Amino acid sequence: RTNYSLKWIRTQIRILCAGRIAEELTCNDVNTGASADIRQATELARKMVTEWGMSDKLGFVYYGDDPQRQSMWLDLPGGHDYSPQTAQLIDEEVQRVLREAYDDTRRLLQENREKLEAVARALLKYETLDASEVHALMRGESLQRPTLTDLLDADQAGTAHPPAAKHRPEPPPAPELGSGPLP
């Protein structure tokens, strides 16, 4: 994608908040697993405010990094063409965007707690779900498919003893790649 609507960005930020909030609601604890989601949500919110003109307080102005001040040899600190007060306003707007998304996502998950728990139970049972299965759970339906354990048990029950392993030829040796980075 090269073009993002405000609605799409707000939705993505809420999706990125959902894992951490679901963890808080179901486990009464959090862990470090959401770090990539936090980073991505923060980057989206910051770009909304500084690069894409999607902040009513800051308006239709580009506040991103000045590429003239950065080079492959030197990245000068303070490479901004705005005041410390504007920097503070940018930080406040990014915080506001993230706080609104977080609060809205928490509300949605709390209002739909039974659906959240149905998905969590299904993931624990099946490990993966496809879109149609998630939609079925959202409609209150139950899933009727075998688990991996069911399939393994059925396979073991269907044979008197495990099949003999087939002899596979040794793979050819890997080519010498040298000491540089792998492709």
Side-chain angles (χ1 to χ4, degrees):
R1 289 182 82 118
T2 58
N3 200 11
Y4 306 100
S5 70
L6 181 59
K7 184 177 178 180
W8 185 90
I9 297 165
R10 286 180 173 163
T11 300
Q12 289 304 307
I13 293 173
R14 282 157 177 74
I15 290 168
L16 292 163
C17 293
R20 167 58 67 87
I21 295 168
E23 189 177 60
E24 289 175 10
L25 293 174
T26 59
C27 302
N28 294 319
D29 196 9
V30 296
N31 64 46
T32 59
S35 65
D37 293 340
I38 294 167
R39 176 179 292 144
Q40 191 174 354
T42 303
E43 287 174 7
L44 282 171
R46 186 163 299 280
K47 285 181 178 185
M48 286 174 66
V49 172
T50 62
E51 296 180 25
W52 299 331
M54 294 179 175
S55 164
D56 290 339
K57 283 189 179 179
L58 291 159
F60 190 71
V61 177
Y62 180 82
Y63 291 106
D65 290 332
D66 181 1
Q68 297 285 334
R69 293 184 185 241
Q70 295 179 354
S71 74
M72 57 190 279
W73 303 109
L74 181 63
D75 186 7
L76 298 172
H80 303 292
D81 289 331
Y82 49 83
S83 68
Q85 293 81 7
T86 300
Q88 180 176 347
L89 187 56
I90 289 169
D91 289 341
E92 289 170 1
E93 277 293 278
V94 170
Q95 285 287 334
R96 181 192 60 77
V97 167
L98 293 171
R99 187 176 48 256
E100 284 178 6
Y102 201 85
D103 292 346
D104 188 45
T105 305
R106 175 178 286 284
R107 178 190 58 76
L108 286 168
L109 288 175
Q110 286 174 325
E111 289 174 2
N112 293 282
R113 179 72 184 253
E114 68 286 345
K115 294 174 182 176
L116 168 65
E117 290 185 11
V119 170
R121 283 190 302 273
L123 284 169
L124 287 171
K125 184 175 181 178
Y126 300 110
E127 296 185 30
T128 61
L129 301 172
D130 65 26
S132 66
E133 291 170 327
V134 172
H135 288 294
L137 292 168
M138 294 298 107
R139 290 188 303 269
E141 301 169 13
S142 61
L143 303 181
Q144 301 300 322
R145 68 169 163 110
T147 65
L148 179 59
T149 303
D150 296 335
L151 295 171
L152 291 172
D153 290 346
D155 185 55
Q156 288 295 323
T159 59
H161 36 83
K166 295 181 181 178
H167 174 50
R168 293 185 184 170
E170 289 292 319
E176 184 60 40
L177 298 174
S179 62
L182 295 174

